[in-house]
Every structure is written in structure tokens, then in C-alpha cells.
Amino acid sequence: AQRVTQPEKLLSVFKGAPVELKCNYSYSGSPELFWYVQYSRQRLQLLLRHISRESIKGFTADLNKGETSFHLKKPFAQEEDSAMYYCALNAGGTSYGKLTFGQGTILTVHP
Amino acid sequence: GAVVSQHPSWVICKSGTSVKIECRSLDFQATTMFWYRQFPKQSLMLMATSNEGSKATYEQGVEKDKFLINHASLTLSTLTVTSAHPEDSSFYICSAPRQGHEQYFGPGTRLTVT
């Protein structure tokens, strides 16, 4: 069975500092990995998916199959980045199947 | 962008009663929808996959007789929590994948059972 682990429940940084949210997964096949963000009082929304290899709002994430990791990074954090971040895995290999979520990391960016 | 709505956004019910939560895809058709449960500041746990025109698929440990799912049309799935108890109090979220796009999430429904 697949599993997603986000070791940090809380992460605090100051504005302008680099930030890295860790995500590790276990799955025997070739998963599709995502990062979702949930701002205060808003719904969950897609931030990144590994297959698109894009940068959204300054965030990037690289899939490291050797380390089974998909860490989310941003070189200069902004206060508006404060939110709950979830790493998720889709074992079906598409964007459309059911997702397994990590425990989530609450990121707080202080001014 | 595509929108998924949920109704109600918040419901309080007495222990022993049943409550129905609706999930609608507003501008696209969804043959599949997913129902998740989220505890405060915790992760989303997949409960079941709702399939239009067929029975829902429940995840291990989820009572199908407790959480009834009906996918009545290509834009509507309902979750009925039967004989609710205080331990069923939670935040219930649905999602609907859109072919060629991504999976869209509803805003969630907060259920409080007194």
C-alpha cells in the first residue's frame, strides 16, 4: 500500500528566508506526486504536480525516486505563503484517481 | 476554473439522526467523485469513491452502511451519514477529477453531532 509522510507538522520561517517542506513516499510502482495548499478558510487547491515540472508562486518540487522524496522548496518565503501544505500521491498514475495524503505541514511565514 | 460545491457548508444534528451532504460539479461532468474526511489540522482520509451509475467503493475500515453514497447524476454525489454519533463530527470534503485537467475539491462540510 502507498504511504506519504510529511515529517514536520509545523514549520516557521521569516519572510525572505528559504523554505523546504519535506515529503517522503512509499510505493512500489511509479506514482504521480502532488503538492496541495489550503489557505485559511479556503478549499484545497493544487499547487504543483511532479510531471509538469513547473514553478508556481515561486515553489518548485523535484521527484527523487532514489530517496523516494518530493520536497517542496521556495528560495524566498512570503507572508502570503502561510498555509497548510499537503503532499499527495496518486498510485494510479493519472491526475484523476484517488489520492493518498500526507499529514500536512502548517507553514507560518513571519514578517 | 472548474468549481465543485458542497451543501450544506455547516450542519449540526442530534445524535441518532441522519444527515445528507451534497457534492456538485458546477461546470463539468464527473463520473467519479471522492469523499474525504478531515480532522482539525490533520490530513484528509479517503473514505470512498463515488461512481455514477454504480455502487460506491469504500476504503478499508469505512462502514458502508454508516456512510451511504449515491451518485445520482454526472454532476451530483451525496453522502448520507446515518444514525450519526458525536464521533462522526468532522469536516467532510468531496473532490471531482476533470478529464484533461486536475482534481477539484469542494469547500467542505463541517458536521457537528450533539
Side-chain angles (χ1 to χ4, degrees):
Chain A
Q2 58 269 24
R3 187 170 184 175
V4 178
T5 303
Q6 293 178 248
E8 302 140 330
K9 193 170 181 66
L10 300 170
L11 185 61
S12 290
V13 299
F14 285 100
K15 177 182 174 181
V19 63
E20 181 179 54
L21 290 83
K22 291 183 168 52
C23 171
N24 289 91
Y25 68 92
S26 63
Y27 179 62
S28 57
S30 294
E32 187 168 5
L33 276 297
F34 304 85
W35 276 99
Y36 283 86
V37 60
Q38 188 173 30
Y39 299 103
S40 180
R41 300 184 184 279
Q42 294 188 29
R43 69 184 70 197
L44 208 64
Q45 55 186 285
L46 178 65
L47 181 62
L48 284 176
R49 70 187 81 183
H50 89 267
I51 59 170
S52 57
R53 301 184 64 82
E54 57 195 344
S55 173
I56 302 294
K57 298 184 179 181
F59 285 98
T60 59
D62 291 317
L63 179 62
N64 185 323
K65 291 186 177 180
E67 296 182 357
T68 59
S69 68
F70 188 54
H71 301 328
L72 183 68
K73 300 177 183 179
K74 184 169 182 176
F76 307 103
Q78 302 299 315
E79 291 179 67
E80 55 265 30
D81 296 328
S82 296
M84 171 75 97
Y85 290 81
Y86 292 99
C87 182
L89 177 156
N90 181 334
T94 74
S95 301
Y96 319 121
K98 56 186 180 182
L99 296 169
T100 299
F101 285 87
Q103 300 91 324
T105 298
I106 300 173
L107 172 65
T108 303
V109 181
H110 299 285
Chain B
V3 176
V4 173
S5 69
Q6 283 184 239
H7 178 80
S9 57
W10 185 35
V11 57
I12 300 175
C13 70
K14 292 187 176 180
S15 187
T17 62
S18 296
V19 62
K20 181 186 287 187
I21 302 170
E22 295 184 346
C23 176
R24 292 181 185 274
S25 56
L26 297 184
D27 53 356
F28 66 100
Q29 294 181 335
T31 56
T32 300
M33 292 183 178
F34 301 100
W35 285 97
Y36 295 87
R37 185 172 178 176
Q38 184 182 33
F39 291 99
K41 298 193 182 299
Q42 293 190 32
S43 187
L44 283 77
M45 181 194 77
L46 179 66
M47 298 175 65
T49 302
S50 175
N51 304 297
E52 191 271 336
S54 63
K55 291 183 179 180
T57 307
Y58 291 82
E59 295 300 302
Q60 190 173 11
V62 178
E63 301 176 58
K64 61 178 71 175
D65 294 331
K66 172 79 172 174
F67 299 99
L68 300 178
I69 291 173
N70 186 337
H71 202 131
S73 73
L74 288 172
T75 59
L76 173 64
S77 173
T78 60
L79 168 68
T80 301
V81 183
T82 62
S83 187
H85 288 93
E87 56 266 30
D88 298 325
S89 298
S90 191
F91 200 56
Y92 292 87
I93 300 173
C94 71
S95 73
R98 183 179 183 187
Q99 287 292 330
H101 294 80
E102 61 183 76
Q103 195 166 148
Y104 295 95
F105 286 80
T109 296
R110 182 165 303 284
L111 170 63
T112 301
V113 184
T114 61

